Amino acid sequence: MPLELREVHDDTEFNELIQCECESFDNPYSPFYTLLRPNRGCSPQGREGFKEFRDRQLRWHRKDPTSRWFKVVDTDIGDKIVGGACWNIYTENPHPKVVEHPLEADWWPEVLAICFVHPEHRHRGIGSTLVGWGVQKADELGIDAFVEATDDGKPLYEARGFVYMHTFYLDSARRNPSKKWMELANYVKTPVHCYFLWRPKGGLFVEGETVAPWEEKEKKG
């Protein structure tokens, strides 16, 4: 099999991994991704914006014990990275100490933070493989899973048992915007939308019967 799923363990892997991430979200263009990486450019050579973005994601990964990065490589072309994903797995409350505006939480999920496939290697089952690892892990642990999806990613997640919950929007409209504000709005290409999807424990969802964790909390309250 030319495609292999591997966990990322070495910091040196992030250079090629994040380059693949950049190229994936540039085609098609992703407004939400632009907010994370305002200085566009995917080449590690000579672009300080890329280096800062790569190092920032590496720092996030190092500091977060729930973070697990995975990559899919094509062994037929020298183990080239053709896709990747980062899962955050919470087996306990990630915010046990809240000083301001306390919100009690008696459940915590697994979160797919990011998932991407290089445009030259799509429709090979790479995305399904990356999502499949997290789905299997969630079922092993008996926990829910969440993801925020674009129009392109939504069908992939739904095929793996995620259920559409809400749509949220990023809109830059305001009264008397400055020239700089309009430049940024045009750069990000607002307004844009994104979908919030939930996968219940075991992937079992029955319309009208399955109750989401936050709905159980509301009923109890």
Side-chain angles (χ1 to χ4, degrees), residues 34-153:
T34 300
L35 296 176
L36 290 175
R37 182 179 57 100
N39 189 346
R40 299 185 71 188
C42 297
S43 173
Q45 288 78 32
R47 285 300 297 259
E48 289 302 320
F50 171 85
K51 295 176 182 178
E52 185 280 328
F53 183 55
R54 175 201 63 202
D55 294 345
R56 180 165 22 117
Q57 291 195 77
L58 179 56
R59 288 195 304 272
W60 290 345
H61 175 61
R62 287 172 175 170
K63 293 180 179 179
D64 187 352
T66 73
S67 174
R68 296 187 66 175
W69 269 98
F70 291 85
K71 63 181 181 180
V72 172
V73 301
D74 190 326
T75 60
D76 282 350
I77 49 177
D79 286 357
K80 177 181 174 62
I81 296 177
V82 293
C86 178
W87 284 93
N88 293 99
I89 304 171
Y90 300 100
T91 55
E92 58 184 18
N93 189 346
H95 306 291
K97 298 180 181 180
V98 180
V99 179
E100 297 181 0
H101 308 294
L103 177 63
E104 183 181 353
D106 54 11
W107 59 276
W108 38 85
E110 177 185 60
V111 178
L112 177 56
I114 194 167
C115 182
F116 53 89
V117 177
H118 194 280
E120 295 179 2
H121 297 275
R122 288 171 183 158
H123 308 294
R124 300 179 63 189
I126 297 170
S128 182
T129 297
L130 291 162
V131 176
W133 181 92
V135 165
Q136 181 177 347
K137 178 59 67 173
D139 289 345
E140 290 176 2
L141 297 173
I143 57 178
D144 308 74
F146 292 88
V147 65
E148 295 172 357
T150 61
D151 290 308
D152 295 307

Side-chain angles (χ1 to χ4, degrees), residues 32 146-155 157-158 163-169 192-198:
F32 282 100
F146 292 88
V147 65
E148 295 172 357
T150 61
D151 290 308
D152 295 307
K154 185 170 177 282
Y157 305 128
E158 289 177 328
V163 182
Y164 165 80
M165 291 285 109
H166 304 288
T167 301
F168 59 93
Y169 299 86
V192 294
H193 64 271
C194 197
Y195 305 107
F196 174 67
L197 284 79
W198 165 59

